[in-house]
Amino acid sequence: MTDEVKQRKIEHVSVALGQDISVAQRANWNDMQFVHQALPEVDLDEIDTSVNFLGHTLRYPIFISSLTGGHPDVTSINRNLSRAAEHYGLALGVGSQRAGIVNPGVSSSYAITRQYAPNTFLIANIGAPQLIAQSRHAAFTTEQVERAIDMIRANALAVHMNSLQEATQPEGDRRAVGEAAALKALISKVNIPVIAKETGAGVCREQALLLRSCGVGAIDVGGAGGSSMPAMEAARSEARGDERTRNIGLLYRDWGIATPVSIVESSPAGLPLIATGGVRNGLDMARALALGATLAGMGFPFLKAASQSYEAVCELLETVVAELKVAMQLSGAATIGQLQQVDIVVTGETRNWLTVRGFEEELKVMAQRRWSRMQGQ
């Protein structure tokens, strides 16, 4: 099991960097249109991008999504990401720490993040399927979970919900009964906030409310639109000659709820939301924040840049920040709080979904927020 998990980590990175594993369906960010302000009364260079997340102030509402760890070959990637997170004042998540828990010999590939980011908001990462007994292994103990937290001296713990990936993985954990109860029990035992994190299939309203009842402090909606975990696992199955599992992965490549929809679906829980899944630029981030997210995260773009150099990560961040600020100015927002209250019109497939799901009033409010405030003055 130890070598298997370690090998899986490097295979995931190799497939992500070397093959097209994007979701066939688009994240539909173009369905969200800002109402342009011809006289915005906002100076581009004076925009304040800081945001508060779980009691911590971040310079930018940008999350370097939980990516990797667990193999010596990815240590340089985490080093480049952590250096950038420290320099720019961002939140940073590490990949699943299962490998580091079962094999302490690879824990340094995770621990390097705190070494190079002493003041950064770091998020540890374990899987919900590992909180319950599976056919091939026992449930993680509280002590093992705390080992993951201590490994990077984390400020928060992400519990990733990846049933879709496990179902399409050659060696996946197929059991799911009891995960909610195990999550609730874990939250009562750890002393840092717990973030419920989807990994590419999104979160609906009912599940967001369930997660709130479990006691999570935030939700990473992890919607469909970016990298496809089933497509990644299909590539791994093909390399093993496992045709049945490969075909299941390909069949479910575009399964899930698109990220913009997931943000609105999760909003009734009243928790801070992280928007990940198909976010590719600063405009996408602005749209996610206007829809209700607190942070917007990217995975693959950061993985690609970090595999090159620290400088490449910084160049990506400079570009994304510049793009975000333009969207803020043109929508009349001088702060992130104001951006979350600007007018935004939702059209296309996103509007169709939200209308069918009973979010008509929310759509109307989003389109008329500024007008309503003006009328009330």
Side-chain angles (χ1 to χ4, degrees):
M1 176 66 74
T2 297
D3 290 339
E4 174 188 296
V5 175
K6 179 180 176 182
Q7 179 63 23
R8 189 187 310 161
K9 297 306 174 185
I10 193 63
E11 287 179 1
H12 283 163
V13 173
S14 178
V15 171
L17 291 174
Q19 300 188 36
D20 177 11
I21 57 167
S22 59
V23 175
Q25 69 171 8
R26 294 171 53 251
N28 296 328
W29 291 111
N30 288 337
D31 286 352
M32 276 59 66
Q33 300 293 326
F34 287 100
V35 177
H36 175 66
Q37 303 300 300
L39 297 173
E41 293 295 325
V42 173
D43 290 338
L44 189 63
D45 293 337
E46 300 301 320
I47 287 176
D48 180 3
T49 57
S50 64
V51 64
N52 184 279
F53 180 69
L54 295 179
H56 292 255
T57 299
L58 307 174
R59 283 177 57 199
Y60 300 100
I62 301 173
F63 172 49
I64 299 181
S65 191
S66 307
L67 287 171
T68 191
H71 194 284
D73 291 353
V74 303
T75 301
S76 62
I77 291 176
N78 275 346
R79 180 176 62 245
N80 292 336
L81 293 174
S82 57
R83 287 180 64 193
E86 181 76 6
H87 180 71
Y88 286 88
L90 312 178
L92 168 66
V94 297
S96 171
Q97 290 172 268
R98 181 179 180 183
I101 292 173
V102 301
N103 181 10
V106 300
S107 61
S108 61
S109 64
Y110 301 100
I112 195 170
T113 55
R114 182 56 79 189
Q115 178 184 344
Y116 282 88
N119 303 299
T120 293
F121 188 91
L122 290 185
I123 302 174
N125 188 354
I126 61 170
Q130 285 75 60
L131 296 181
I132 60 174
Q134 297 290 340
S135 60
R136 298 194 302 153
H137 62 81
F140 277 163
T141 65
T142 303
E143 186 276 332
Q144 286 176 306
V145 175
E146 290 176 340
R147 194 184 308 164
I149 295 170
D150 294 341
M151 197 181 298
I152 63 171
R153 287 184 283 133
N155 302 97
L157 170 68
V159 176
H160 65 260
M161 306 171 291
N162 66 331
S163 292
L164 175 60
Q165 181 180 13
E166 298 286 0
T168 58
Q169 189 176 90
E171 62 280 77
D173 290 331
R174 306 293 200 264
R175 294 176 180 170
V177 175
E179 286 181 346
L183 174 62
K184 185 174 183 178
L186 174 65
I187 291 171
S188 70
K189 297 173 183 177
V190 298
N191 59 6
I192 59 174
V194 172
I195 302 168
K197 173 181 175 57
E198 239 296 345
T199 59
V203 177
C204 68
R205 171 175 45 202
E206 296 80 4
Q207 292 284 284
L209 294 173
L210 172 62
L211 292 169
R212 183 182 67 182
S213 72
C214 290
V216 303
I219 298 174
D220 181 340
V221 303
S227 298
S228 167
M229 294 301 102
M232 176 183 289
E233 298 302 344
R236 295 182 62 241
S237 296
E238 184 173 19
R240 286 165 168 71
D242 185 345
E243 185 175 358
R244 177 181 298 168
T245 307
R246 168 189 174 273
N247 290 339
I248 292 175
L250 294 178
L251 178 65
Y252 286 89
R253 178 174 184 149
D254 63 346
W255 175 277
I257 306 170
T259 305
V261 171
S262 291
I263 297 169
V264 180
E265 285 264 2
S266 299
S267 295
L271 296 171
L273 302 178
I274 305 174
T276 57
V279 177
R280 292 293 180 259
N281 53 58
L283 179 54
D284 290 346
M285 288 188 171
R287 288 163 169 158
L289 297 167
L291 282 171
T294 301
L295 302 179
M298 296 196 302
F300 176 72
F302 280 122
L303 178 63
K304 183 178 179 180
S307 68
Q308 299 170 10
S309 66
Y310 164 69
E311 290 75 17
V313 179
C314 292
E315 177 60 30
L316 172 61
L317 280 167
E318 291 289 342
T319 299
V320 169
V321 168
E323 294 167 344
L324 171 62
K325 287 184 175 181
V326 170
M328 292 178 67
Q329 182 190 44
L330 298 182
S331 58
T335 67
I336 298 301
Q338 291 178 10
L339 179 62
Q340 293 168 329
Q341 293 298 319
V342 302
D343 296 345
I344 187 167
V345 177
V346 180
T347 61
E349 295 178 16
T350 303
R351 186 177 192 87
N352 291 341
W353 175 295
L354 293 173
T355 299
V356 170
R357 290 278 290 166
F359 288 94
E360 297 98 329
E361 187 60 31
E362 287 82 354
L363 291 168
K364 182 179 179 181
V365 169
M366 283 189 284
Q368 298 182 354
R369 287 184 290 212
R370 182 181 285 107
W371 178 250
S372 296
R373 289 195 300 274
M374 291 173 62
Q375 291 293 94
Q377 292 176 353

